[in-house]
Amino acid sequence: MPSKQAQGIAPAASNVGQARRHLSDRAIQNLFIWPTLLLLIAVNLFPLLYSLYLSFTNFLAVQNKPPGWVGLANFATILNSPEMWRNFATTGRYALMSVGMQTLIGFGLAMLVRRKFFGSGLITTLILVPMMISPVVVGMFWKMIYNPNFGFFNFLLGAGDAGKGVDMLASKFFGQSTPGLALIAVAIVDVWMWSPFVMLLVLSGLNAIPEYLYEAAAIDRASPWFQFRRITLPQVAPLLLIAVLFRTIEAFKSFDLVMGMTGGGPGDQTELIAVNLYRQAFLGTFKTGFSSALAYIILIIIIAASNMYIKYLNQIKGEA
Amino acid sequence: MARFEERGPRSPIVQPIRVDKVHPRARAQRRLIAIASLLMAIIMLLPVFVMGISAFKTRADVMSSPPKILFKPTLEGFMLLFTERAVVSQSRQEELQEEAAAGSLSLFERLALEAGMEITGPSAYVFRLWNSVIIAGISTVASVVLGLFAAYAFSRFKVPGKNDLMFFILSTRMLPAVVVTIPLFLMYRQLGLHDRHLGMIILYTVFNLSFSVWLLKGFIDEIPKEYEEAALVDGYTRLQAFFRIVLPQAASGIAATTVFCLIFAWNEYAFALMLTSQRARTAPPSIATMMGRGGIEWSAIAAGSLGFLIPVVIVTFALRKYLLRGITFGAIRG
């Protein structure tokens, strides 16, 4: 039993017994990486390539016909449709609003809880709770909170009278129709849910800043603002950027929150591009080919944006 | 630094210089910060509080206007969540009332009777909750273990095309789920994985892998290489060094990754909705479709959400020390 031998003898003396079991670094590297890569390739690459192929066809999932090749027609339809451009614009506004607010609030929260005080660990964990709830559940009960008749939101705004106050999800402000309110309502929920995520990442960055930087600054009598501007911000920037990257990707993909709360309405005010995608792919028509093309356009946008982020991130890291 | 000398001190140093003598302003500031963060935590938890109290309201109380904060708590929502019910006839109802008077009915049965119904059995939700436990549990462990191995290799070895591979791993998370689903659906049907636990476990494992590799690589990057090198010199094999030196050092990273993977796998909705129907269906799709007589059964939804949230909260609280210690994605020290 070679293993028993290796365990029994002190490591330095067991070289002979180990020779047979000793794996080269090369072998370990392959052993460690390939299971992950193979799984990723098996479950991701086939769907990726298959939907790329489908994006050039007029395939409908509910039909029993083989896919018919239509070339670039799907892409042309999408790029020429003003409705799609409007959805893209909505998605952009939504991403800007929600990711921007998340970054600000998340950063603020992290600055608040960074120094230890009595109960700070508990408070930090409590702030993380919104992140742990299923998005579909979040959508459901925020819909309840926004309900103009029995929701708390309307009530807290002081409009006790049922139905007359603010109906966020229908974009109605005291009876007045106010376009954009529904999108803000959804963004508020997204911000509520994901600010803690940004906070967690920023907090990690803050904890990693060496204390001597602040000590040096204090000796030089640098103002708190100067310390923030020249020490805190640059040191946290890489992690902040990663948080923003993950949230931006998610904002372009998000559909379950909106589906649960507004279904894209009223009109197409909250019709994010991913919601439209879901509609094309599953509701009613099952336009598989068309929706694959749309998905690829979204994917290209996401990859382009991520690449920009990562380039910028490496640049910051290089300077630091 | 000359700027400060020219202008002189702008404000007194408020950092404590002696441990036993904290500047009063610093102490006041710290107290202010504590109060502010407590306030923020309360604001963040308000919606959860609303959900929590709605779970214990009756159907009428949930939809009262203005919303009630004080009310008589009931377990009706939980009863609706956990049981199948049937409307009973007048005569049967009287029969049941007699039984209730004799005290031979359980709490849920009495609650059902008040609504004019009789319990016929446990609801599908119980079964689906169990599915959620199995699928989320196994896939979380799998993605953390696989991710740990891959992250170690990417962190320590000169893997050819490392940056491209890492980007590939990240990019698997970028495609909108809706579209991967159709090819996945076709593929799973071919392989017989549709509506099977194994299929969902593989899917969630893969979807968490990208995140887990990135996160864990950040942690392992921060463990000094010198520890393992010293161990290697002492005659440890690479594997021994990995298990005995790196693994304990990466504990906080493993804990943090576990929490994130668990949150995703536990809460996932889109795939579960589209790739399962009966056998392997998890809880989130069934919470969302909790309909009763006359529309959405809000108290049952709130009860389901609350019960569904608790396990994740417990795990997070248990691991919070590690979670708060730092998640860096290797961004601090490249």
Side-chain angles (χ1 to χ4, degrees), chain A residues 25 46 112 117 125 132 134 137 141 144 149 192 204 220 253 282 295, chain B residues 1 33 37 44 51 54 64-65 173 179 187 238 267 274 305 320 327:
Chain A
D25 280 4
F46 166 73
L112 267 183
F117 52 84
T125 320
M132 302 171 206
S134 177
V137 169
F141 77 73
M144 191 170 102
N149 291 317
W192 172 76
S204 311
D220 286 338
K253 284 167 55 181
F282 287 102
Chain B
M1 290 300 137
I33 284 177
S37 28
M44 293 299 276
M51 183 180 82
S54 304
S64 74
S65 170
R173 221 183 156 85
V179 170
M187 183 168 102
R238 187 56 95 158
N267 290 332
M274 296 182 253
S305 315
R320 71 161 190 263
I327 295 158

PDB file of all heavy atoms in Angstrom, chain A residues 25 46 112 117 125 132 134 137 141 144 149 192 204 220 253 282 295, chain B residues 1 33 37 44 51 54 64-65 173 179 187 238 267 274 305 320 327:
ATOM      1  N   ASP A  25       3.371  18.551 -12.736  1.00  0.00           N
ATOM      2  CA  ASP A  25       2.536  19.758 -12.705  1.00  0.00           C
ATOM      3  C   ASP A  25       1.638  19.822 -13.929  1.00  0.00           C
ATOM      4  O   ASP A  25       0.488  20.240 -13.860  1.00  0.00           O
ATOM      5  CB  ASP A  25       3.423  21.008 -12.661  1.00  0.00           C
ATOM      6  CG  ASP A  25       3.920  21.253 -11.252  1.00  0.00           C
ATOM      7  OD1 ASP A  25       3.628  20.416 -10.375  1.00  0.00           O
ATOM      8  OD2 ASP A  25       4.607  22.263 -11.030  1.00  0.00           O
ATOM      9  N   PHE A  46     -22.572  23.765 -27.524  1.00  0.00           N
ATOM     10  CA  PHE A  46     -23.585  23.253 -28.445  1.00  0.00           C
ATOM     11  C   PHE A  46     -24.770  24.212 -28.576  1.00  0.00           C
ATOM     12  O   PHE A  46     -25.129  24.611 -29.681  1.00  0.00           O
ATOM     13  CB  PHE A  46     -24.062  21.859 -28.030  1.00  0.00           C
ATOM     14  CG  PHE A  46     -25.313  21.452 -28.732  1.00  0.00           C
ATOM     15  CD1 PHE A  46     -25.282  21.102 -30.074  1.00  0.00           C
ATOM     16  CD2 PHE A  46     -26.539  21.490 -28.085  1.00  0.00           C
ATOM     17  CE1 PHE A  46     -26.444  20.767 -30.746  1.00  0.00           C
ATOM     18  CE2 PHE A  46     -27.701  21.165 -28.750  1.00  0.00           C
ATOM     19  CZ  PHE A  46     -27.655  20.803 -30.082  1.00  0.00           C
ATOM     20  N   LEU A 112     -20.161  53.225   4.845  1.00  0.00           N
ATOM     21  CA  LEU A 112     -20.792  53.301   6.164  1.00  0.00           C
ATOM     22  C   LEU A 112     -20.319  52.179   7.079  1.00  0.00           C
ATOM     23  O   LEU A 112     -20.019  52.401   8.251  1.00  0.00           O
ATOM     24  CB  LEU A 112     -22.311  53.230   6.026  1.00  0.00           C
ATOM     25  CG  LEU A 112     -23.080  54.531   5.925  1.00  0.00           C
ATOM     26  CD1 LEU A 112     -24.576  54.237   5.881  1.00  0.00           C
ATOM     27  CD2 LEU A 112     -22.770  55.451   7.074  1.00  0.00           C
ATOM     28  N   PHE A 117     -17.959  48.608  14.225  1.00  0.00           N
ATOM     29  CA  PHE A 117     -18.603  49.138  15.418  1.00  0.00           C
ATOM     30  C   PHE A 117     -19.461  48.019  15.967  1.00  0.00           C
ATOM     31  O   PHE A 117     -19.565  46.951  15.349  1.00  0.00           O
ATOM     32  CB  PHE A 117     -19.427  50.387  15.117  1.00  0.00           C
ATOM     33  CG  PHE A 117     -20.395  50.221  13.985  1.00  0.00           C
ATOM     34  CD1 PHE A 117     -21.641  49.657  14.201  1.00  0.00           C
ATOM     35  CD2 PHE A 117     -20.053  50.627  12.699  1.00  0.00           C
ATOM     36  CE1 PHE A 117     -22.528  49.494  13.156  1.00  0.00           C
ATOM     37  CE2 PHE A 117     -20.947  50.463  11.654  1.00  0.00           C
ATOM     38  CZ  PHE A 117     -22.183  49.897  11.883  1.00  0.00           C
ATOM     39  N   THR A 125     -24.709  41.898   7.243  1.00  0.00           N
ATOM     40  CA  THR A 125     -25.366  40.696   6.730  1.00  0.00           C
ATOM     41  C   THR A 125     -26.851  40.946   6.489  1.00  0.00           C
ATOM     42  O   THR A 125     -27.423  40.459   5.515  1.00  0.00           O
ATOM     43  CB  THR A 125     -25.177  39.526   7.703  1.00  0.00           C
ATOM     44  OG1 THR A 125     -23.850  39.559   8.207  1.00  0.00           O
ATOM     45  CG2 THR A 125     -25.401  38.209   7.011  1.00  0.00           C
ATOM     46  N   MET A 132     -30.660  37.778  -1.538  1.00  0.00           N
ATOM     47  CA  MET A 132     -30.834  36.330  -1.412  1.00  0.00           C
ATOM     48  C   MET A 132     -32.207  35.857  -1.862  1.00  0.00           C
ATOM     49  O   MET A 132     -32.488  34.669  -1.835  1.00  0.00           O
ATOM     50  CB  MET A 132     -30.664  35.911   0.048  1.00  0.00           C
ATOM     51  CG  MET A 132     -29.351  36.276   0.646  1.00  0.00           C
ATOM     52  SD  MET A 132     -29.445  35.954   2.412  1.00  0.00           S
ATOM     53  CE  MET A 132     -28.240  37.084   3.016  1.00  0.00           C
ATOM     54  N   SER A 134     -35.299  35.144  -4.435  1.00  0.00           N
ATOM     55  CA  SER A 134     -35.478  34.793  -5.834  1.00  0.00           C
ATOM     56  C   SER A 134     -36.077  35.974  -6.603  1.00  0.00           C
ATOM     57  O   SER A 134     -37.067  36.552  -6.172  1.00  0.00           O
ATOM     58  CB  SER A 134     -36.403  33.588  -5.929  1.00  0.00           C
ATOM     59  OG  SER A 134     -36.646  33.289  -7.265  1.00  0.00           O
ATOM     60  N   VAL A 137     -39.761  35.986  -7.061  1.00  0.00           N
ATOM     61  CA  VAL A 137     -40.492  36.295  -5.824  1.00  0.00           C
ATOM     62  C   VAL A 137     -40.427  37.790  -5.539  1.00  0.00           C
ATOM     63  O   VAL A 137     -41.434  38.416  -5.178  1.00  0.00           O
ATOM     64  CB  VAL A 137     -39.896  35.492  -4.653  1.00  0.00           C
ATOM     65  CG1 VAL A 137     -40.451  35.985  -3.344  1.00  0.00           C
ATOM     66  CG2 VAL A 137     -40.175  34.019  -4.827  1.00  0.00           C
ATOM     67  N   PHE A 141     -43.733  40.238  -4.941  1.00  0.00           N
ATOM     68  CA  PHE A 141     -44.203  40.988  -3.780  1.00  0.00           C
ATOM     69  C   PHE A 141     -43.949  42.480  -3.879  1.00  0.00           C
ATOM     70  O   PHE A 141     -44.605  43.247  -3.201  1.00  0.00           O
ATOM     71  CB  PHE A 141     -43.772  40.353  -2.450  1.00  0.00           C
ATOM     72  CG  PHE A 141     -42.366  40.544  -2.020  1.00  0.00           C
ATOM     73  CD1 PHE A 141     -41.931  41.772  -1.558  1.00  0.00           C
ATOM     74  CD2 PHE A 141     -41.493  39.477  -2.038  1.00  0.00           C
ATOM     75  CE1 PHE A 141     -40.628  41.932  -1.129  1.00  0.00           C
ATOM     76  CE2 PHE A 141     -40.187  39.634  -1.622  1.00  0.00           C
ATOM     77  CZ  PHE A 141     -39.761  40.852  -1.177  1.00  0.00           C
ATOM     78  N   MET A 144     -47.050  43.658  -5.217  1.00  0.00           N
ATOM     79  CA  MET A 144     -47.996  43.841  -4.127  1.00  0.00           C
ATOM     80  C   MET A 144     -47.751  45.179  -3.416  1.00  0.00           C
ATOM     81  O   MET A 144     -48.686  45.898  -3.080  1.00  0.00           O
ATOM     82  CB  MET A 144     -47.826  42.684  -3.149  1.00  0.00           C
ATOM     83  CG  MET A 144     -48.876  42.576  -2.114  1.00  0.00           C
ATOM     84  SD  MET A 144     -48.659  41.004  -1.249  1.00  0.00           S
ATOM     85  CE  MET A 144     -47.883  41.539   0.228  1.00  0.00           C
ATOM     86  N   ASN A 149     -54.119  49.992  -4.594  1.00  0.00           N
ATOM     87  CA  ASN A 149     -55.223  49.848  -3.638  1.00  0.00           C
ATOM     88  C   ASN A 149     -54.765  49.435  -2.255  1.00  0.00           C
ATOM     89  O   ASN A 149     -55.154  50.023  -1.264  1.00  0.00           O
ATOM     90  CB  ASN A 149     -56.238  48.836  -4.168  1.00  0.00           C
ATOM     91  CG  ASN A 149     -56.968  49.368  -5.364  1.00  0.00           C
ATOM     92  OD1 ASN A 149     -57.371  50.521  -5.367  1.00  0.00           O
ATOM     93  ND2 ASN A 149     -57.085  48.553  -6.383  1.00  0.00           N
ATOM     94  N   TRP A 192     -32.749  48.103  -5.219  1.00  0.00           N
ATOM     95  CA  TRP A 192     -32.941  47.562  -3.870  1.00  0.00           C
ATOM     96  C   TRP A 192     -32.306  46.193  -3.743  1.00  0.00           C
ATOM     97  O   TRP A 192     -31.649  45.867  -2.769  1.00  0.00           O
ATOM     98  CB  TRP A 192     -34.440  47.476  -3.572  1.00  0.00           C
ATOM     99  CG  TRP A 192     -34.759  46.758  -2.306  1.00  0.00           C
ATOM    100  CD1 TRP A 192     -34.610  47.248  -1.049  1.00  0.00           C
ATOM    101  CD2 TRP A 192     -35.255  45.426  -2.162  1.00  0.00           C
ATOM    102  NE1 TRP A 192     -34.995  46.294  -0.136  1.00  0.00           N
ATOM    103  CE2 TRP A 192     -35.386  45.174  -0.794  1.00  0.00           C
ATOM    104  CE3 TRP A 192     -35.609  44.416  -3.071  1.00  0.00           C
ATOM    105  CZ2 TRP A 192     -35.851  43.961  -0.300  1.00  0.00           C
ATOM    106  CZ3 TRP A 192     -36.068  43.223  -2.583  1.00  0.00           C
ATOM    107  CH2 TRP A 192     -36.190  42.994  -1.218  1.00  0.00           C
ATOM    108  N   SER A 204     -14.982  44.470   0.175  1.00  0.00           N
ATOM    109  CA  SER A 204     -13.773  43.661   0.042  1.00  0.00           C
ATOM    110  C   SER A 204     -12.604  44.523  -0.395  1.00  0.00           C
ATOM    111  O   SER A 204     -11.492  44.386   0.104  1.00  0.00           O
ATOM    112  CB  SER A 204     -13.977  42.567  -0.990  1.00  0.00           C
ATOM    113  OG  SER A 204     -15.151  41.884  -0.752  1.00  0.00           O
ATOM    114  N   ASP A 220       0.573  63.515   7.155  1.00  0.00           N
ATOM    115  CA  ASP A 220       0.690  64.683   6.282  1.00  0.00           C
ATOM    116  C   ASP A 220      -0.504  65.624   6.413  1.00  0.00           C
ATOM    117  O   ASP A 220      -0.599  66.604   5.671  1.00  0.00           O
ATOM    118  CB  ASP A 220       0.807  64.225   4.814  1.00  0.00           C
ATOM    119  CG  ASP A 220       2.176  63.655   4.525  1.00  0.00           C
ATOM    120  OD1 ASP A 220       3.105  63.992   5.271  1.00  0.00           O
ATOM    121  OD2 ASP A 220       2.314  62.878   3.572  1.00  0.00           O
ATOM    122  N   LYS A 253     -29.585  41.375 -19.605  1.00  0.00           N
ATOM    123  CA  LYS A 253     -30.237  40.070 -19.681  1.00  0.00           C
ATOM    124  C   LYS A 253     -31.530  40.012 -18.886  1.00  0.00           C
ATOM    125  O   LYS A 253     -32.267  39.047 -18.984  1.00  0.00           O
ATOM    126  CB  LYS A 253     -29.295  38.996 -19.126  1.00  0.00           C
ATOM    127  CG  LYS A 253     -28.185  38.627 -20.062  1.00  0.00           C
ATOM    128  CD  LYS A 253     -27.121  37.820 -19.347  1.00  0.00           C
ATOM    129  CE  LYS A 253     -27.690  36.605 -18.663  1.00  0.00           C
ATOM    130  NZ  LYS A 253     -26.652  35.846 -17.958  1.00  0.00           N
ATOM    131  N   PHE A 282     -40.967  32.548 -26.755  1.00  0.00           N
ATOM    132  CA  PHE A 282     -41.871  31.616 -26.080  1.00  0.00           C
ATOM    133  C   PHE A 282     -43.341  31.968 -26.143  1.00  0.00           C
ATOM    134  O   PHE A 282     -44.178  31.091 -26.171  1.00  0.00           O
ATOM    135  CB  PHE A 282     -41.462  31.455 -24.615  1.00  0.00           C
ATOM    136  CG  PHE A 282     -40.217  30.648 -24.466  1.00  0.00           C
ATOM    137  CD1 PHE A 282     -39.006  31.267 -24.229  1.00  0.00           C
ATOM    138  CD2 PHE A 282     -40.251  29.280 -24.615  1.00  0.00           C
ATOM    139  CE1 PHE A 282     -37.860  30.528 -24.123  1.00  0.00           C
ATOM    140  CE2 PHE A 282     -39.102  28.526 -24.505  1.00  0.00           C
ATOM    141  CZ  PHE A 282     -37.903  29.155 -24.259  1.00  0.00           C
ATOM    142  N   ALA A 295     -30.960  37.339 -29.912  1.00  0.00           N
ATOM    143  CA  ALA A 295     -30.082  36.990 -28.796  1.00  0.00           C
ATOM    144  C   ALA A 295     -28.626  37.227 -29.178  1.00  0.00           C
ATOM    145  O   ALA A 295     -27.832  37.697 -28.360  1.00  0.00           O
ATOM    146  CB  ALA A 295     -30.282  35.538 -28.416  1.00  0.00           C
TER     147      ALA A 295
ATOM    148  N   MET B   1       3.570  66.585  -1.586  1.00  0.00           N
ATOM    149  CA  MET B   1       3.198  66.735  -0.184  1.00  0.00           C
ATOM    150  C   MET B   1       3.512  68.140   0.330  1.00  0.00           C
ATOM    151  O   MET B   1       3.138  68.501   1.432  1.00  0.00           O
ATOM    152  CB  MET B   1       3.950  65.708   0.666  1.00  0.00           C
ATOM    153  CG  MET B   1       3.471  64.287   0.424  1.00  0.00           C
ATOM    154  SD  MET B   1       1.731  64.052   0.795  1.00  0.00           S
ATOM    155  CE  MET B   1       1.206  63.055  -0.592  1.00  0.00           C
ATOM    156  N   ILE B  33     -22.174  57.054  12.479  1.00  0.00           N
ATOM    157  CA  ILE B  33     -22.086  56.071  11.389  1.00  0.00           C
ATOM    158  C   ILE B  33     -22.857  54.818  11.741  1.00  0.00           C
ATOM    159  O   ILE B  33     -23.594  54.267  10.923  1.00  0.00           O
ATOM    160  CB  ILE B  33     -20.601  55.748  11.099  1.00  0.00           C
ATOM    161  CG1 ILE B  33     -19.970  56.895  10.327  1.00  0.00           C
ATOM    162  CG2 ILE B  33     -20.475  54.451  10.311  1.00  0.00           C
ATOM    163  CD1 ILE B  33     -18.507  56.720  10.060  1.00  0.00           C
ATOM    164  N   SER B  37     -25.984  53.411   9.593  1.00  0.00           N
ATOM    165  CA  SER B  37     -26.037  52.106   8.932  1.00  0.00           C
ATOM    166  C   SER B  37     -27.193  51.268   9.455  1.00  0.00           C
ATOM    167  O   SER B  37     -27.780  50.499   8.698  1.00  0.00           O
ATOM    168  CB  SER B  37     -24.711  51.350   9.043  1.00  0.00           C
ATOM    169  OG  SER B  37     -24.019  51.701  10.180  1.00  0.00           O
ATOM    170  N   MET B  44     -33.610  48.886   4.016  1.00  0.00           N
ATOM    171  CA  MET B  44     -33.442  47.779   3.078  1.00  0.00           C
ATOM    172  C   MET B  44     -34.354  46.607   3.425  1.00  0.00           C
ATOM    173  O   MET B  44     -34.782  45.864   2.564  1.00  0.00           O
ATOM    174  CB  MET B  44     -31.988  47.291   3.071  1.00  0.00           C
ATOM    175  CG  MET B  44     -30.982  48.267   2.521  1.00  0.00           C
ATOM    176  SD  MET B  44     -31.265  48.725   0.815  1.00  0.00           S
ATOM    177  CE  MET B  44     -30.454  47.377  -0.030  1.00  0.00           C
ATOM    178  N   MET B  51     -43.311  41.527   3.374  1.00  0.00           N
ATOM    179  CA  MET B  51     -43.543  40.151   2.946  1.00  0.00           C
ATOM    180  C   MET B  51     -43.792  39.256   4.161  1.00  0.00           C
ATOM    181  O   MET B  51     -44.704  38.428   4.161  1.00  0.00           O
ATOM    182  CB  MET B  51     -42.330  39.655   2.176  1.00  0.00           C
ATOM    183  CG  MET B  51     -42.485  38.274   1.618  1.00  0.00           C
ATOM    184  SD  MET B  51     -40.998  37.768   0.735  1.00  0.00           S
ATOM    185  CE  MET B  51     -39.985  37.233   2.093  1.00  0.00           C
ATOM    186  N   SER B  54     -47.184  39.799   5.637  1.00  0.00           N
ATOM    187  CA  SER B  54     -48.255  39.355   4.740  1.00  0.00           C
ATOM    188  C   SER B  54     -48.449  37.850   4.822  1.00  0.00           C
ATOM    189  O   SER B  54     -49.542  37.344   4.587  1.00  0.00           O
ATOM    190  CB  SER B  54     -47.939  39.738   3.293  1.00  0.00           C
ATOM    191  OG  SER B  54     -47.723  41.119   3.205  1.00  0.00           O
ATOM    192  N   SER B  64     -56.495  44.701   2.409  1.00  0.00           N
ATOM    193  CA  SER B  64     -57.222  45.814   3.000  1.00  0.00           C
ATOM    194  C   SER B  64     -56.549  47.129   2.625  1.00  0.00           C
ATOM    195  O   SER B  64     -55.348  47.186   2.380  1.00  0.00           O
ATOM    196  CB  SER B  64     -57.255  45.662   4.524  1.00  0.00           C
ATOM    197  OG  SER B  64     -55.993  45.972   5.052  1.00  0.00           O
ATOM    198  N   SER B  65     -57.358  48.172   2.588  1.00  0.00           N
ATOM    199  CA  SER B  65     -56.828  49.482   2.237  1.00  0.00           C
ATOM    200  C   SER B  65     -57.322  50.489   3.262  1.00  0.00           C
ATOM    201  O   SER B  65     -58.530  50.567   3.491  1.00  0.00           O
ATOM    202  CB  SER B  65     -57.297  49.877   0.844  1.00  0.00           C
ATOM    203  OG  SER B  65     -56.992  51.221   0.593  1.00  0.00           O
ATOM    204  N   ARG B 173     -21.484  33.187 -19.273  1.00  0.00           N
ATOM    205  CA  ARG B 173     -22.541  33.767 -18.457  1.00  0.00           C
ATOM    206  C   ARG B 173     -23.254  34.915 -19.161  1.00  0.00           C
ATOM    207  O   ARG B 173     -24.177  35.496 -18.621  1.00  0.00           O
ATOM    208  CB  ARG B 173     -21.942  34.265 -17.139  1.00  0.00           C
ATOM    209  CG  ARG B 173     -22.793  33.985 -15.936  1.00  0.00           C
ATOM    210  CD  ARG B 173     -22.173  34.573 -14.711  1.00  0.00           C
ATOM    211  NE  ARG B 173     -23.179  34.824 -13.699  1.00  0.00           N
ATOM    212  CZ  ARG B 173     -23.607  33.918 -12.840  1.00  0.00           C
ATOM    213  NH1 ARG B 173     -23.118  32.720 -12.852  1.00  0.00           N
ATOM    214  NH2 ARG B 173     -24.521  34.226 -11.952  1.00  0.00           N
ATOM    215  N   VAL B 179     -32.349  32.160 -24.647  1.00  0.00           N
ATOM    216  CA  VAL B 179     -31.992  31.582 -25.929  1.00  0.00           C
ATOM    217  C   VAL B 179     -31.254  30.278 -25.800  1.00  0.00           C
ATOM    218  O   VAL B 179     -31.434  29.370 -26.602  1.00  0.00           O
ATOM    219  CB  VAL B 179     -31.175  32.596 -26.721  1.00  0.00           C
ATOM    220  CG1 VAL B 179     -30.585  31.957 -27.924  1.00  0.00           C
ATOM    221  CG2 VAL B 179     -32.102  33.691 -27.109  1.00  0.00           C
ATOM    222  N   MET B 187     -31.515  19.409 -26.789  1.00  0.00           N
ATOM    223  CA  MET B 187     -30.406  18.537 -26.419  1.00  0.00           C
ATOM    224  C   MET B 187     -30.806  17.630 -25.251  1.00  0.00           C
ATOM    225  O   MET B 187     -30.576  16.429 -25.273  1.00  0.00           O
ATOM    226  CB  MET B 187     -29.208  19.398 -26.029  1.00  0.00           C
ATOM    227  CG  MET B 187     -27.951  18.643 -25.699  1.00  0.00           C
ATOM    228  SD  MET B 187     -26.548  19.784 -25.608  1.00  0.00           S
ATOM    229  CE  MET B 187     -26.356  19.956 -23.862  1.00  0.00           C
ATOM    230  N   ARG B 238       2.744  18.047  -5.323  1.00  0.00           N
ATOM    231  CA  ARG B 238       1.907  19.184  -5.664  1.00  0.00           C
ATOM    232  C   ARG B 238       0.500  19.019  -5.098  1.00  0.00           C
ATOM    233  O   ARG B 238      -0.085  19.949  -4.547  1.00  0.00           O
ATOM    234  CB  ARG B 238       1.888  19.299  -7.192  1.00  0.00           C
ATOM    235  CG  ARG B 238       1.209  20.499  -7.777  1.00  0.00           C
ATOM    236  CD  ARG B 238       1.713  21.810  -7.299  1.00  0.00           C
ATOM    237  NE  ARG B 238       2.730  22.448  -8.130  1.00  0.00           N
ATOM    238  CZ  ARG B 238       2.965  23.763  -8.097  1.00  0.00           C
ATOM    239  NH1 ARG B 238       2.261  24.556  -7.310  1.00  0.00           N
ATOM    240  NH2 ARG B 238       3.912  24.285  -8.835  1.00  0.00           N
ATOM    241  N   ASN B 267     -32.442  29.987  -6.203  1.00  0.00           N
ATOM    242  CA  ASN B 267     -33.461  30.931  -6.652  1.00  0.00           C
ATOM    243  C   ASN B 267     -33.772  30.869  -8.138  1.00  0.00           C
ATOM    244  O   ASN B 267     -34.653  31.561  -8.607  1.00  0.00           O
ATOM    245  CB  ASN B 267     -33.027  32.362  -6.333  1.00  0.00           C
ATOM    246  CG  ASN B 267     -33.062  32.645  -4.857  1.00  0.00           C
ATOM    247  OD1 ASN B 267     -33.844  32.045  -4.131  1.00  0.00           O
ATOM    248  ND2 ASN B 267     -32.210  33.532  -4.409  1.00  0.00           N
ATOM    249  N   MET B 274     -38.631  26.314 -17.813  1.00  0.00           N
ATOM    250  CA  MET B 274     -38.675  25.832 -19.180  1.00  0.00           C
ATOM    251  C   MET B 274     -38.166  24.397 -19.350  1.00  0.00           C
ATOM    252  O   MET B 274     -38.512  23.737 -20.300  1.00  0.00           O
ATOM    253  CB  MET B 274     -37.888  26.784 -20.075  1.00  0.00           C
ATOM    254  CG  MET B 274     -38.531  28.171 -20.100  1.00  0.00           C
ATOM    255  SD  MET B 274     -37.703  29.330 -21.175  1.00  0.00           S
ATOM    256  CE  MET B 274     -36.891  30.407 -20.026  1.00  0.00           C
ATOM    257  N   SER B 305     -42.542  32.511  -0.073  1.00  0.00           N
ATOM    258  CA  SER B 305     -41.310  33.282  -0.232  1.00  0.00           C
ATOM    259  C   SER B 305     -40.539  33.324   1.067  1.00  0.00           C
ATOM    260  O   SER B 305     -39.319  33.163   1.082  1.00  0.00           O
ATOM    261  CB  SER B 305     -41.622  34.710  -0.658  1.00  0.00           C
ATOM    262  OG  SER B 305     -42.584  34.704  -1.661  1.00  0.00           O
ATOM    263  N   ARG B 320     -21.054  34.230   7.451  1.00  0.00           N
ATOM    264  CA  ARG B 320     -20.915  35.658   7.186  1.00  0.00           C
ATOM    265  C   ARG B 320     -19.510  36.167   7.482  1.00  0.00           C
ATOM    266  O   ARG B 320     -19.033  37.092   6.846  1.00  0.00           O
ATOM    267  CB  ARG B 320     -21.953  36.463   7.956  1.00  0.00           C
ATOM    268  CG  ARG B 320     -21.739  36.543   9.448  1.00  0.00           C
ATOM    269  CD  ARG B 320     -22.537  37.714  10.003  1.00  0.00           C
ATOM    270  NE  ARG B 320     -22.173  37.965  11.379  1.00  0.00           N
ATOM    271  CZ  ARG B 320     -22.858  37.505  12.423  1.00  0.00           C
ATOM    272  NH1 ARG B 320     -23.910  36.763  12.227  1.00  0.00           N
ATOM    273  NH2 ARG B 320     -22.459  37.776  13.644  1.00  0.00           N
ATOM    274  N   ILE B 327     -13.977  39.641  -1.124  1.00  0.00           N
ATOM    275  CA  ILE B 327     -14.128  38.999  -2.415  1.00  0.00           C
ATOM    276  C   ILE B 327     -13.426  39.910  -3.386  1.00  0.00           C
ATOM    277  O   ILE B 327     -13.826  41.046  -3.552  1.00  0.00           O
ATOM    278  CB  ILE B 327     -15.607  38.900  -2.779  1.00  0.00           C
ATOM    279  CG1 ILE B 327     -16.294  37.978  -1.803  1.00  0.00           C
ATOM    280  CG2 ILE B 327     -15.795  38.442  -4.188  1.00  0.00           C
ATOM    281  CD1 ILE B 327     -17.746  38.212  -1.724  1.00  0.00           C
TER     282      ILE B 327
END
